[in-house]
Amino acid sequence: MTAASQHYTQPANPGWLRRAEFWLDQRGKPAWIVAMILGFIFFWPIGLALLAYMIWSKRMFGKSCRNRHSNRHAAFQQGFNAMRPSGNAAFDAYKADTLRRLEDEQKSFEDFLQRLREARDKAEFDQFMDERDRKARDAHEKGEIAEA
């Protein structure tokens, strides 16, 4: 089975908008155009909204809707295929070791970023406290000079 022949499956519990989008995508670009025209006929803001959505989501000028979903599904499947064992024990061990090492590096990097955020927050807080103390000192000094 090639990536082009795979079909997009609908999510488990989609809302009515997702179901409508899926239904229109299964019928292709002509269905979207008919829906837009009917929207303009019955209530013009609906037609305008459909036109804007078709342009924004590149349904108007891109390839057919079915191809977009089958390509998305194929890419989604390839991600899961990467996690399956290959049947070669040496390669699977290497892959597991590499993934574990990458996860460790990611954890270390996230810890580093957290320390940077904490240091930045502490520096900003210290700066705020210094400015507050300086303003209080200046106000106190001006108060003493006014009393003299």
Side-chain angles (χ1 to χ4, degrees), residues 49-95:
L50 279 170
L51 176 63
Y53 180 73
M54 289 171 62
I55 291 171
W56 173 75
S57 65
K58 298 186 177 69
R59 280 178 169 74
M60 179 67 82
F61 305 111
K63 294 188 180 190
S64 79
C65 302
R66 286 186 207 131
N67 288 342
R68 179 178 292 109
H69 281 299
S70 66
N71 290 341
R72 186 183 309 158
H73 183 66
F76 182 71
Q77 284 295 80
Q78 286 176 349
F80 281 114
N81 288 342
M83 301 308 290
R84 270 197 261 153
S86 67
N88 184 326
F91 177 75
D92 289 342
Y94 167 76
K95 183 170 67 171

Side-chain angles (χ1 to χ4, degrees), residues 135-148:
K135 287 179 183 177
R137 246 190 338 266
D138 291 346
H140 182 66
E141 289 173 1
K142 288 180 182 178
E144 289 180 0
I145 296 173
E147 291 175 4

Side-chain angles (χ1 to χ4, degrees), residues 84-135:
R84 270 197 261 153
S86 67
N88 184 326
F91 177 75
D92 289 342
Y94 167 76
K95 183 170 67 171
D97 182 50
T98 302
L99 289 173
R100 186 174 71 311
R101 192 175 67 244
L102 286 172
E103 288 171 357
D104 292 343
E105 287 180 19
Q106 180 180 4
K107 175 84 169 92
S108 298
F109 184 67
E110 288 171 355
D111 292 343
F112 172 73
L113 288 178
Q114 183 62 33
R115 287 192 308 271
L116 279 178
R117 286 185 199 105
E118 290 171 0
R120 186 192 66 218
D121 290 348
K122 182 168 178 10
E124 289 174 355
F125 179 74
D126 290 343
Q127 180 183 2
F128 167 76
M129 292 302 288
D130 290 343
E131 288 176 9
R132 191 176 131 224
D133 289 343
R134 183 179 45 78
K135 287 179 183 177

